[in-house]
Amino acid sequence: MSAEDQKRLSGEAAAALVQPGMIVGLGTGSTAAWFVKALAARKLDIVGVPTSKATGELAASLGMKIAELGETREIDLTVDGADEIGPALALIKGGGAALLREKLVWEASKRCVVIADAAKRVPVLGKFALPIEVVAYGHKTTMARICVALSECDIGIAPRLRVKDGAPVLTDGGNVIYDAACNAIPEPALLAAALKSVTGVVEHGLFLDLAELALVGTDDGVVEVEP
Ligand code: 5RP
């Protein structure tokens, strides 16, 4: 089965968790798009809270009611993809540059479910370069301070500015992204704290202690993984 089919299966399984009347956080990326399409097809009376402009446009185009974070009562369930799923459902997210809005929505949700294809499961986080969202003003200076924070966690690399078509990628919030190719992050909580201590770092892509269930698409169907 292709990775895309595994993503579709996991998105469809997550759509089955949604009940009428729910407020639902809508993730970003290709797996989350399968979830949004499967959810829209159920035609439930729900309100979606998108984690990016792209997801908001997709949901609206499928006739889904959407609202901004903070315009509804508490979010019942958020479903979103991930770039890596490690032990205890620690995640790397932000490959689609939506990590800040994603984390805001995740943290405002009663329950978060991560969906992915099987290749996203890893024994140790860090092969996928960790996205770090940084205020555009003075970002090179901030990057130098991020290098110090990384070295304090025994990670001796310099993150790379994410560029597309010759220009820095800007997030929905107007910030830039640095990708830190750590290779291995044995202590994600330590790194998360070190990054958050750098002024100018808006958010990082480590999502720790947030997902309560992973629905992973495999060749044998959808596997449920708990922390
Ligand atoms: C976007 C994300 C995505 O969820 C992540 O990049 C996974 O994407 P895909 O489902 O396309 O593999 O974090 O910021």
Side-chain angles (χ1 to χ4, degrees):
M1 189 185 288
S2 70
E4 206 53 39
D5 282 336
Q6 293 180 350
K7 290 179 182 192
R8 178 178 50 75
L9 282 186
S10 63
E12 288 170 356
L17 300 177
V18 178
Q19 303 290 322
M22 276 187 169
I23 309 292
V24 185
L26 308 174
T28 294
S30 57
T31 320
W34 284 115
F35 165 70
V36 172
K37 286 178 203 160
L39 182 56
R42 291 189 63 201
K43 299 195 182 305
L44 299 176
D45 183 18
I46 55 124
V47 177
V49 178
T51 53
S52 62
K53 286 180 190 162
T55 297
E57 284 165 11
L58 173 66
S61 75
L62 296 169
M64 202 179 277
K65 257 188 260 172
I66 55 170
E68 286 283 307
L69 178 62
E71 282 181 352
T72 66
R73 65 168 174 77
E74 191 179 7
I75 298 169
D76 296 295
L77 169 69
T78 286
V79 176
D80 199 352
D83 299 298
E84 280 187 350
I85 302 176
L89 298 190
L91 311 175
I92 287 183
K93 287 187 49 55
L99 63 147
L100 175 59
R101 291 194 182 190
E102 288 171 339
K103 202 174 275 187
L104 286 166
V105 170
W106 279 57
E107 289 187 349
S109 303
K110 287 186 207 165
R111 189 173 182 223
C112 299
V113 173
V114 61
I115 52 176
D117 56 291
K120 301 284 180 61
R121 285 190 78 188
V122 295
V124 178
L125 293 179
K127 279 270 182 296
F128 189 92
L130 175 66
I132 305 168
E133 184 160 347
V134 172
V135 174
Y137 175 78
H139 65 84
K140 289 180 187 162
T141 304
T142 304
M143 195 277 273
R145 298 191 60 220
I146 290 172
C147 287
V148 175
L150 288 168
S151 68
E152 283 165 3
C153 297
D154 294 325
I155 299 172
I157 53 111
R160 289 207 171 169
L161 182 66
R162 195 180 295 182
V163 171
K164 193 175 173 198
D165 300 329
V169 170
L170 292 184
T171 66
D172 284 352
N175 303 307
V176 300
I177 299 270
Y178 277 89
D179 291 303
C182 301
N183 191 38
I185 306 173
E187 294 192 75
L190 204 67
L191 179 58
L195 291 172
K196 282 296 257 192
S197 74
V198 177
T199 305
V201 169
V202 180
E203 197 46 79
H204 54 75
L206 287 167
F207 282 49
L208 310 178
D209 301 320
L210 286 170
E212 70 168 53
L213 176 68
L215 296 174
V216 181
T218 75
D219 289 351
D220 300 321
V222 175
V223 172
E224 294 190 9
V225 185
E226 290 182 355

